[in-house]
């Protein structure tokens, strides 16, 4: 298996187990210890993992994993979630798609829709939908975050407040046991909060890895979300909260 395919799997294993070891990874992939040490060093330099004696762990919850690493993590799960979410969006709707690799999967699943008005602060979503003339596309203004093509800050919030959307599709960086949606970038939090306020119905798309992460800034509670699309069954306490809050959970 090439390095290109090992790296995302190593990160996913670290998410599931909390820690990966050099010896365990070498046995799993059938490569040398030296090869795995090199992989872990490169992932640590990219900020995706933190090196510890004998292996690596997820980094502390103060900064996000790089966009390219996030983009290739759980691609199949994100594709399923995107397909399920797209089926919840009728033709002719006005929709906001925010920043995130999972919302980009939703955009790819919308290319057969007709007469959509899509507003986004995600340059990657705009690129995905640009070739499809049946979709009217509006970019929210804001400061460009070059790391992932996101538009954030007060200009983005002001742009969003000019609309009332039928639906919004949002992501988050983490989801804690209390049912709070969390993010790393405070400037993005204000944008997400404005999106929720300006939408008649809000759909959260977040895969199982978000249950295992922490981030410092709070966006909102799942109580404010109408539909939660994910790829694995929720832990029972969180599922019970969603039921009490009447947040409809769909497992793709």
């Amino acid at each position: 298996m090439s390095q290109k395919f090992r790296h995302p799997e190593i990160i996913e294993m670290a998410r599931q187990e909390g820690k990966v070891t050099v010896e365990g990874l070498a046995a799993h992939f059938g490569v040398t210890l030296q090869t795995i040490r090199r992989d872990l060093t490169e992932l640590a330099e990219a900020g995706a993992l933190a090196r510890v004696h004998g292996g690596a762990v997820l980094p502390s919850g103060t900064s996000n994993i790089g966009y390219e690493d996030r983009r290739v993590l759980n691609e199949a799960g994100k594709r399923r979630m995107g397909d399920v979410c797209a089926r919840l969006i009728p033709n002719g709707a006005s929709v906001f798609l925010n920043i995130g690799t999972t919302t980009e999967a939703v955009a790819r699943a919308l290319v057969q829709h007709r007469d959509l008005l899509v507003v986004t602060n995600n340059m990657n979503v705009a690129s995905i939908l640009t070739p499809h003339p049946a979709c009217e596309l509006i970019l929210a203004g804001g400061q460009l975050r070059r790391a992932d093509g996101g538009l954030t800050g007060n200009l983005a919030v002001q742009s969003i407040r000019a609309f009332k959307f039928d639906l919004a599709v949002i992501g988050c960086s983490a989801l804690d046991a209390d049912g709070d949606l969390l993010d790393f970038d405070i400037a993005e939090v204000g944008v997400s909060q404005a999106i929720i306020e300006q939408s008649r119905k809000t759909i959260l798309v977040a895969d199982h890895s978000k249950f295992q992460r922490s981030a410092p800034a709070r966006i909102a509670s799942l109580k404010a979300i109408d539909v939660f699309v994910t790829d694995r069954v929720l832990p029972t306490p969180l599922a019970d909260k969603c039921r009490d809050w009447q947040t409809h959970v769909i497992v793709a």
Side-chain angles (χ1 to χ4, degrees):
M1 180 182 286
S2 72
Q3 180 187 72
K4 175 183 177 182
F5 295 102
R6 283 197 307 272
H7 282 191
E9 189 170 344
I10 289 171
I11 296 170
E12 183 64 17
M13 291 170 70
R15 289 187 186 285
Q16 294 178 1
E17 305 297 331
K19 178 182 177 179
V20 290
T21 66
V22 173
E23 290 186 355
L25 291 172
H28 177 79
F29 292 110
V31 296
T32 66
L33 299 178
Q34 183 180 5
T35 296
I36 292 299
R37 290 191 185 99
R38 187 163 54 245
D39 284 345
L40 295 183
T41 296
E42 291 176 1
L43 286 168
E45 289 174 351
L49 293 177
R51 287 301 306 268
V52 296
H53 180 70
V57 297
L58 292 178
S60 61
T62 57
S63 60
N64 205 352
I65 294 172
Y67 170 78
E68 288 302 323
D69 288 320
R70 283 184 284 133
R71 187 176 59 80
V72 297
L73 285 175
N74 194 18
E75 285 184 287
K78 291 175 182 177
R79 186 164 51 250
R80 292 195 307 272
M81 293 163 58
D83 291 342
V84 167
C85 185
R87 291 198 290 270
L88 302 174
I89 299 172
N91 290 327
S94 59
V95 186
F96 194 99
L97 300 179
N98 85 334
I99 302 168
T101 56
T102 311
T103 52
E104 291 166 24
V106 176
R108 292 186 186 94
L110 287 174
V111 297
Q112 300 302 320
H113 280 54
R114 293 291 178 266
D115 302 321
L116 289 181
L117 170 64
V118 175
V119 184
T120 185
N121 63 329
N122 184 335
M123 297 286 285
N124 300 305
V125 164
S127 295
I128 292 165
L129 293 175
T130 293
H132 303 283
C135 171
E136 184 176 352
L137 188 59
I138 297 175
L139 270 171
Q143 183 176 358
L144 176 63
R145 192 168 63 192
R146 288 183 172 85
D148 62 2
L151 296 162
T152 65
N154 289 333
L155 283 175
V157 171
Q158 292 171 20
S159 298
I160 290 161
R161 293 201 186 282
F163 295 89
K164 187 72 174 182
F165 309 105
D166 294 324
L167 301 106
V169 180
I170 67 169
C172 64
S173 295
L175 182 64
D176 70 10
D178 296 325
D180 283 336
L181 285 63
L182 306 172
D183 211 301
F184 293 98
D185 188 341
I186 294 174
E188 186 176 345
V189 166
V191 174
S192 296
Q193 290 170 341
I195 294 166
I196 295 170
E197 291 168 5
Q198 299 303 116
S199 301
R200 295 182 176 90
K201 183 176 182 179
T202 304
I203 302 170
L204 172 70
V205 287
D207 71 7
H208 68 278
S209 69
K210 305 303 172 67
F211 308 152
Q212 302 160 358
R213 302 180 68 191
S214 180
R218 182 181 183 273
I219 300 169
S221 167
L222 272 171
K223 186 176 183 178
I225 302 300
D226 298 288
V227 182
F228 177 17
V229 178
T230 187
D231 65 335
R232 290 191 187 175
V233 174
L234 301 187
T236 299
L238 190 56
D240 290 342
K241 285 183 171 68
C242 287
R243 185 172 57 252
D244 293 340
W245 293 332
Q246 297 184 330
T247 299
H248 181 46
V249 178
I250 301 175
V251 179

